[in-house]
Amino acid sequence: MGNRPADAIAHGAADAPLVAHLVERLDTAAAGLLDLLDHAPAGRYRHAVICLGGHSAAHAQLRERGIEVIDLVRRAHARFYLELYRVLRTLAPDLLHSRSIANLDGQLIAALAGVQLRVHGEYGRGHGGGACAPAWEAHQAGNWNGARRWRLRLLRRALCPLVRHYIAASAEQERWLIERIGAAPGQVTQIPAGVDSLEFHPRLGPHVAVGPAGFMRDDAFVIGSIGRMDEAGNHATLVDAFLRLIASPHPAHARLRLLIAGEGPLRAVCQATLERAGAGARAWLPGERADSARLMRAMDLMVLPARVGGNPAALLEAMASGLPVVATAVGAHRELVQPGLTGILVPPLSPEIMAAAIADYCRIPEMGLRHGARARGQVITHHSLTAMARSHCAVYDALLQERARRRR
């Protein structure tokens, strides 16, 4: 254990209720967690973070905010669970908030340690997570086989009685928890992802210069995408659509460039496809990047081609950046994109339809400007970080008030 539990408390008056956040890795969970801690009403809660993965830069970010991190090393034997039990007994938090399926077993340890109020967030992949019902489960599982997916579902069902409240990132995910996992309707709260509209904002002048020499040009129309490059991400369909467009004789298509930021097993496959087609110089696949806000200011259009689930975090960030969106009609995409107003929804495996939607934005620039402006307005109105943090605190408040009534 890396830090003393007594030091792992911050952001609240000495008598404020303590919330312990259980995360697997801060490099994947930190974005949403930091946003929650930074924008929660001041003084209402104290916070502790129990991290079960390796060290990352996010540890320093938390410490800068006055929050220490308790580091545990997840092991496949009883010693790990005993250590987690001891940490929770020492902290004695008023509430435990675990995140993702990887930490669902912490609900059992918290119950054994006497933590009465337990919240579990199914945030999906990416910072905010989000997804759709059975398809979301497959998306979460990635390439896991069917037997493992069934084991995960059985685990969720078995531990469901221990979870006092669930937080879902989308309406479809909320329905999935109720219909497939057995949560009671009043036991689930949907809290959409929040986005920093100051960090993610429209560009105010020319494109941000990105990519290798020769990639950008003054009149370029940059098709962008951000997300893990695997079967679920489905970037091969986007590459196919791009190649169809640049093969077209329409003069506007000579301006097209493709930027896909993300790592994964299909990155090399997509790069090879572009090279074979002679389009390598017009595409840039830099792998995973930490400067997504800057990259979006180099884009003219965001395309999210996922087969299932979708990437609501990238979608909301693109909308906050004033970008129109072409997205597949899956999961959270269907909830967030207003067709004909902020973007276009297309089938997941139809490169021809995707290419046609991209072409509309390339050929009619004013349409993209209108849709992008509406998209940013939607984010500012409905998906601010402050609203997201207050919604979480409202869940905590309700559970604490219920406990107080029971005690009286």
Side-chain angles (χ1 to χ4, degrees):
M1 189 164 61
N3 303 299
R4 292 180 294 118
D7 294 335
I9 301 170
H11 278 253
D15 58 348
L18 171 62
V19 179
H21 300 270
L22 184 64
V23 297
E24 186 71 12
R25 292 183 59 85
L26 277 174
D27 55 358
T28 54
L33 181 55
L34 288 175
D35 290 338
L36 170 58
L37 298 178
D38 281 349
H39 292 84
R44 186 181 297 183
Y45 290 99
R46 296 172 296 150
H47 297 276
V49 177
I50 305 170
C51 179
L52 307 183
H55 190 85
S56 74
H59 286 63
Q61 290 179 286
L62 284 168
R63 292 186 178 108
E64 287 173 2
R65 289 157 173 78
I67 297 176
E68 294 294 325
V69 180
I70 302 168
D71 289 312
L72 295 180
V73 178
R74 181 180 279 278
R75 303 179 180 90
H77 53 67
R79 182 180 174 186
F80 160 72
Y81 293 105
L82 180 59
E83 289 177 347
L84 179 57
Y85 174 85
R86 288 172 176 167
V87 166
L88 290 171
R89 289 290 293 178
T90 303
L91 277 176
D94 294 275
L95 185 147
L96 176 85
H97 183 168
S98 59
R99 291 169 174 258
S100 82
I101 180 62
N103 300 312
L104 186 56
D105 52 4
Q107 294 282 323
L108 173 60
I109 306 304
L112 294 173
V115 182
Q116 295 181 3
L117 305 182
R118 299 175 298 276
V119 174
H120 182 67
E122 290 282 3
Y123 298 102
R125 198 162 65 169
H127 359 259
C132 62
W136 173 79
E137 188 175 21
H139 177 63
Q140 282 284 86
N143 293 323
W144 295 344
N145 59 36
R148 186 168 186 184
R149 287 199 294 271
W150 272 106
R151 287 197 295 272
L152 290 176
R153 186 181 298 177
L154 289 173
L155 175 65
R156 282 187 168 103
R157 288 177 176 172
L159 295 181
C160 183
L162 295 177
V163 180
R164 293 294 303 277
H165 206 86
Y166 286 96
I167 293 174
S170 69
E172 287 187 282
Q173 191 181 76
E174 180 180 0
R175 288 193 295 271
W176 177 81
L177 285 166
I178 295 168
E179 296 169 4
R180 303 293 289 273
I181 303 305
Q187 189 186 0
V188 186
T189 297
Q190 179 195 347
I191 301 180
V195 63
D196 188 341
S197 58
L198 296 179
E199 178 184 6
F200 293 89
H201 62 81
R203 65 171 179 263
L204 303 177
H207 290 90
V208 173
V210 299
F215 172 69
M216 294 290 285
R217 51 185 264 188
D218 291 342
D219 63 344
F221 185 92
V222 180
I223 304 163
S225 188
I226 292 179
R228 181 163 173 76
M229 300 187 69
D230 55 14
E231 291 291 342
N234 191 35
H235 289 91
T237 295
L238 172 55
V239 169
D240 189 349
F242 176 70
L243 293 177
R244 290 168 184 262
L245 287 168
I246 63 175
S248 163
H250 196 287
H253 297 177
R255 303 187 293 125
L256 291 175
R257 297 292 185 271
L258 178 64
L259 193 172
I260 304 176
E263 197 51 80
L266 295 188
R267 179 183 167 217
V269 175
C270 289
Q271 185 70 61
T273 300
L274 291 161
E275 296 292 346
R276 283 196 302 271
R282 298 177 65 172
W284 183 43
L285 281 60
E288 189 171 356
R289 300 273 297 200
D291 58 345
S292 56
R294 178 173 176 270
L295 292 180
M296 289 185 190
R297 289 192 285 276
M299 300 174 187
D300 296 282
L301 172 69
M302 173 63 75
V303 180
L304 296 171
R307 295 177 62 181
V308 292
N311 188 345
L315 174 53
L316 288 170
E317 289 165 0
M319 293 169 66
S321 299
L323 294 175
V325 178
V326 171
T328 46
V330 300
H333 294 173
R334 291 187 299 228
E335 299 175 25
L336 296 173
V337 176
Q338 300 180 51
L341 294 175
T342 63
I344 300 173
L345 292 174
V346 299
L349 296 172
S350 297
E352 310 90 352
I353 299 176
M354 184 178 290
I358 295 170
D360 284 347
Y361 285 113
C362 177
R363 299 175 189 179
I364 314 172
E366 59 272 19
M367 183 176 79
L369 293 174
R370 289 197 308 271
H371 289 188
R374 289 196 196 105
R376 179 167 172 81
Q378 179 181 331
V379 166
I380 292 172
T381 303
H382 299 291
H383 299 285
S384 71
L385 293 176
T386 299
M388 177 274 295
R390 286 178 176 167
S391 295
H392 278 82
C393 288
V395 171
Y396 303 161
D397 291 346
L399 290 172
L400 286 164
Q401 290 165 7
E402 180 188 348
R403 184 180 69 176
R405 285 194 299 269
R406 287 201 312 271
R407 287 177 174 177
R408 287 196 296 268

